[in-house]
RNA sequence: GGGCCCGUAGCUCAAUUGGCAGAGCAACGGCCUUUUAAGCCGUGGGUUGAAGGUUCGAUUCCUUCCGGGCUCACCA
């Protein structure tokens, strides 16, 4: 550690560690001096139940968080994984040498301690452990953030999440909720006959979404590989293989801009169900979200961004055409060519990107004027075919596909289709897409011949669905940025 | 990538029109045996993100760079 530049407080703590060693106290002992008998929460609950009579010794462990030193006695709070508990340390009880030298001078806020003592209630009514013996079990070399304000600096919170977590209990709660959401999803899908599977993260050909991939290289094979941008094409192969219901929860990687709702790697849930279509998928999504909400929100009413949201099914279903017509007055079916639609958009003050396809214009109209207002749960159904190459056409209208996205709190949360299972149509769509993309983008998607081959062996009529776990977590924890629900969000590396 | 905003002590934040860089918590020394944002007395702690410029004088104004936030673009 030669080149470490230590500040005053770090130097003092190192001196204290050295002094402890001089006294024969290891600041990082290999094991606890006493076996822990209770967590903080268990000790308080047991005392409240009357299971811990006055004087019965217990052993607690935890991090020292606050200290109120009053001469020959002190109150403090320690915190373990279950919560906080107050402790009371009296010089007469723990001994003068320990109290004056170790406790008062050499143990700091932030240090981990073990202690034995008995429970009692203070004059002000707080359940407290009166310490008879205490030992340092791990020394902290940095001061903790402000005990009242916590750690606020956004950059430090993300770069040093461990400090954020230890200082801000509400941040720990967010990631507990995230885990409960994922557990609820698994429980729901497992309980409904879905098989959890794992498909390749490293793929020779990427597909299933319109995103730029990260590329990597297998040295021994001399092969370029892509980090997956979706699971879709692999999961549908599994339905060809005979599984009727499959799902995967895992990481997707997209080499694109970062925003409050985009992280380069994010967690996705996709599930596919044979012998259904997008209408059944809507009912499944409602049912699954209800299961999650009951689990993590205790009911179907949640608050997001100051809005009261009611998740009670059935949710509103409206076609993209009607949704756009309702808010902008533009019925895009009246403008079959790109130029006319762009002109109509300019007439309402919208400035369309010059070289957009018709599908992109419609999408842009939608995301600008409709999406932000979709606060209550809403299915937007029936999308333009140009922006939906993996969805089945509507029988009555070949310009439109059987697809929905669902929105809650103004957030786009997920996407689903009646899966396109005609191999020839699928090939035609891939080819058309390639031409569109090659036109305005260097990002040319390779044709996945093996996927087309799989379709040629027969994919049953299938409903498929994908949703972002990170955004779901934003919804259920009322966070406005995806970085608040990813433990270690991607940040630019610090160079200078 | 574009636009706007931000970066001051370990943490949270001040600093008037360009005029001696401060407070609370934390730290250090002392008093205090039921406190809880404990209290009281005292002390130390700064490359004001970095580099350059303007000026008698820059935390403050200008330029470039680094990092972050919001936003736009991108995201079938």
């Amino acid at each position: 550690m030669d080149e470490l530049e230590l500040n005053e407080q770090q130097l003092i703590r190192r001196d204290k560690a050295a002094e402890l060693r001089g006294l024969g106290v290891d600041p990082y002992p290999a094991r606890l001096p006493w076996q822990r008998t209770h967590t903080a929460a268990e000790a308080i609950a047991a005392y409240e139940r009357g299971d811990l009579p006055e004087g019965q010794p217990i052993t607690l462990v935890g991090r020292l968080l606050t200290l109120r030193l009053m001469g020959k006695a002190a109150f403090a709070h320690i915190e373990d994984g279950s919560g906080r508990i107050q402790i009371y340390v009296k010089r007469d009880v723990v001994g003068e040498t320990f109290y004056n030298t170790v406790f008062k001078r050499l143990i700091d806020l932030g240090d981990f301690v073990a202690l034995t003592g008995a429970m009692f209630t203070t004059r002000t009514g707080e359940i407290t452990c009166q310490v008879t013996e205490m030992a340092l079990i791990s020394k902290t070399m940095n001061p903790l953030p402000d005990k009242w304000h916590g750690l606020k600096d956004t950059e430090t919170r993300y770069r040093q999440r461990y400090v954020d977590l230890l200082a801000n209990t509400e941040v720990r709660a967010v990631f507990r909720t995230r885990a409960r959401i994922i557990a609820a999803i698994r429980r729901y899908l497992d309980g409904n006959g879905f098989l959890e599977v794992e498909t390749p993260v490293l793929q020779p050909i990427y597909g299933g979404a319109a995103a730029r991939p990260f590329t990597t290289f297998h040295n021994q094979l001399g092969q370029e590989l892509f980090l997956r941008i979706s699971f879709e094409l692999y999961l549908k192969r599994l339905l060809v293989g005979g599984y009727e219901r499959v799902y995967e929860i895992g990481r997707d990687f997209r080499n694109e801009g970062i925003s409050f709702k985009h992280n380069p790697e994010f967690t996705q849930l996709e599930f596919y169900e044979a012998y259904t279509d997008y209408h059944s998928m809507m009912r499944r999504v409602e049912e699954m979200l209800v299961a999650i909400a009951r689990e993590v929100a205790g009911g179907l009413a949640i608050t997001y961004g100051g809005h009261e949201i009611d998740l009670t099914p059935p949710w509103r279903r409206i076609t993209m055409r009607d949704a756009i017509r309702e808010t902008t007055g533009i019925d895009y079916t009246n403008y079959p060519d790109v130029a006319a639609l762009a002109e109509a958009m300019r007439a309402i003050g919208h400035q369309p990107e010059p070289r957009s396809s018709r599908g992109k214009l419609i999408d842009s109209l939608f995301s600008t004027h409709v999406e932000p207002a979709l606060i209550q749960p809403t299915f937007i159904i029936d999308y333009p075919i140009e922006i939906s190459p993996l969805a089945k056409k509507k029988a009555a209208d070949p310009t439109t596909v059987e697809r929905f996205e669902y929105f809650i709190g103004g957030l786009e949360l997920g996407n689903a289709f009646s899966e396109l299972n005609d191999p020839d149509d699928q090939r035609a769509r891939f080819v058309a897409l390639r031409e569109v993309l090659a036109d305005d983008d260097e990002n040319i998607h390779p044709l996945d011949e093996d996927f087309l081959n799989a379709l040629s062996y027969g994919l049953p009529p299938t409903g498929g669905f994908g949703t972002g776990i990170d955004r779901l977590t934003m919804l259920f924890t009322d966070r406005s940025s995806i970085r608040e629900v990813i433990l270690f969000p991607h940040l630019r590396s610090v160079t200078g």
Side-chain angles (χ1 to χ4, degrees):
Chain A
M1 56 164 68
D2 339 315
E3 296 306 319
L4 273 186
E5 279 186 30
L6 299 178
N7 64 41
E8 181 192 30
Q9 299 203 37
Q10 293 169 326
L11 287 169
I12 287 168
R13 283 173 184 241
R14 276 176 174 73
D15 288 347
K16 288 178 176 179
E19 192 175 342
L20 283 161
R21 289 191 175 98
L23 292 169
V25 177
D26 182 356
Y28 301 100
R31 51 194 60 82
L32 305 185
W34 314 290
Q35 197 72 38
R36 178 197 219 180
T37 61
H38 295 73
T39 66
E42 286 165 358
I44 290 167
Y47 181 76
E48 280 178 329
R49 281 196 311 268
D51 291 349
L52 280 180
E54 304 275 334
Q56 177 171 326
I58 62 169
T59 297
L60 300 172
V61 296
R63 190 196 285 275
L64 187 67
L65 282 188
T66 60
L67 181 60
R68 295 171 293 284
L69 200 79
M70 300 167 300
K72 300 180 186 64
F75 284 95
H77 278 90
I78 62 168
E79 181 178 80
D80 66 13
S82 74
R84 294 184 186 193
I85 187 168
Q86 180 166 264
I87 61 171
Y88 182 44
V89 185
K90 268 164 66 160
R91 192 182 72 179
D92 292 352
V93 176
V94 298
E96 190 162 339
T97 307
F98 178 84
Y99 187 86
N100 288 340
T101 306
V102 179
F103 178 67
K104 268 175 71 177
R105 282 208 315 113
L106 300 177
I107 291 181
D108 287 305
L109 294 182
D111 290 357
F112 286 90
V113 295
L115 56 93
T116 64
M119 303 301 291
F120 75 108
T121 305
T122 63
R123 188 177 294 167
T124 52
E126 179 161 356
I127 295 170
T128 301
C129 182
Q130 170 153 355
V131 175
T132 51
E133 279 187 290
M134 177 188 271
L136 175 68
I137 58 175
S138 182
K139 184 120 195 80
T140 305
M141 289 300 176
N142 265 316
L144 263 35
D146 190 286
K147 67 184 171 194
W148 188 245
H149 300 96
L151 177 66
K152 289 226 170 99
D153 182 75
T154 313
E155 187 174 352
T156 310
R157 288 188 48 235
Y158 296 159
R159 285 194 196 279
Q160 301 182 45
R161 184 68 90 180
Y162 39 91
V163 184
D164 188 28
L165 289 165
L166 79 86
N168 300 321
T169 52
E170 70 282 5
V171 175
R172 273 181 297 200
V174 165
F175 293 100
R176 285 209 175 86
T177 301
R178 181 181 172 118
R180 287 163 63 210
I181 289 169
I182 294 171
I185 289 170
R186 284 214 165 86
R187 199 167 305 129
Y188 173 79
L189 292 172
D190 291 346
N192 281 277
F194 284 82
L195 179 72
E196 181 169 10
V197 297
E198 293 176 277
T199 62
V201 172
L202 294 175
Q203 304 181 348
I205 296 177
Y206 59 95
R212 273 167 227 226
F214 289 91
T215 62
T216 187
F217 189 76
H218 190 290
N219 291 337
Q220 203 258 319
L221 297 177
Q223 183 184 16
E224 184 178 45
L225 290 167
F226 304 98
L227 275 65
R228 66 179 170 191
I229 57 174
S230 87
F231 322 151
E232 173 144 6
L233 303 185
Y234 279 96
L235 291 177
K236 284 197 271 200
R237 284 169 167 94
L238 297 178
L239 274 81
V240 171
Y243 296 115
E244 288 189 12
R245 296 179 180 186
V246 299
Y247 75 97
E248 179 164 6
I249 294 171
R251 213 67 67 84
D252 275 341
F253 306 84
R254 296 187 182 175
N255 206 338
E256 285 159 3
I258 296 172
S259 80
F260 75 94
K261 51 181 176 175
H262 297 90
N263 195 61
E265 55 181 296
F266 62 100
T267 302
Q268 182 87 350
L269 160 70
E270 289 189 26
F271 61 74
Y272 292 81
E273 184 171 0
Y275 311 114
T276 64
D277 61 11
Y278 75 142
H279 290 295
S280 320
M281 285 288 116
M282 286 184 244
R283 292 190 290 273
R284 265 248 180 270
V285 171
E286 287 169 343
E287 206 173 272
M288 185 178 77
L289 267 284
V290 164
I292 297 170
R294 289 199 201 288
E295 192 100 5
V296 308
L300 300 185
I302 59 172
T303 302
Y304 185 73
H307 298 288
E308 302 297 323
I309 292 170
D310 179 7
L311 297 174
T312 307
W315 301 346
R316 183 178 184 220
R317 288 153 168 77
I318 180 170
T319 63
M320 175 167 263
R321 177 189 170 193
D322 288 342
I324 291 174
R325 189 168 47 188
E326 223 173 60
T327 51
T328 68
I330 294 178
D331 180 351
Y332 59 74
T333 60
N334 292 339
Y335 305 92
D337 69 280
V338 179
L341 181 58
E343 188 48 44
M345 286 166 71
R346 275 188 287 272
I348 61 161
H350 197 103
Q351 289 176 357
E353 285 294 303
R355 294 162 65 205
S356 298
S357 69
R358 183 165 176 278
K360 281 215 170 187
L361 288 182
I362 293 169
D363 196 45
S364 147
L365 210 44
F366 175 79
S367 52
T368 311
H369 298 281
V370 182
E371 183 172 337
L374 298 177
I375 302 302
Q376 296 303 322
T378 305
F379 293 110
I380 299 293
I381 66 176
D382 297 348
Y383 278 63
I385 190 168
E386 304 99 302
I387 55 172
S388 313
L390 296 162
K392 190 175 279 199
K393 285 174 200 159
K394 287 189 77 77
D397 175 8
T399 69
T400 303
V401 296
E402 296 198 350
R403 171 182 179 187
F404 72 77
E405 293 188 318
Y406 78 107
F407 298 82
I408 306 177
L411 272 179
E412 179 203 326
L413 287 171
N415 187 20
F417 334 118
S418 299
E419 300 296 338
L420 177 56
N421 57 352
D422 173 343
D424 295 336
D425 190 1
Q426 183 67 81
R427 177 179 296 276
R429 302 272 200 100
F430 278 160
V431 169
L433 180 72
R434 239 178 158 182
E435 283 161 10
V436 172
L437 287 178
D439 208 47
D440 61 9
D441 202 327
E442 75 272 21
N443 173 35
I444 300 173
H445 277 231
L447 217 78
D448 191 337
E449 287 292 348
D450 183 72
F451 174 66
L452 293 168
N453 188 50
L455 287 189
S456 75
Y457 278 90
L459 173 69
T462 295
F465 170 77
T467 197
I469 299 290
D470 313 281
R471 291 188 191 173
L472 268 184
T473 306
M474 289 168 66
L475 180 72
F476 282 108
T477 58
D478 197 12
R479 303 288 127 164
S480 59
S481 168
I482 200 167
R483 295 180 205 93
E484 292 292 340
V485 302
I486 292 174
L487 279 167
F488 299 99
H490 184 78
L491 298 179
R492 207 181 290 271
S493 51
V494 187
T495 48

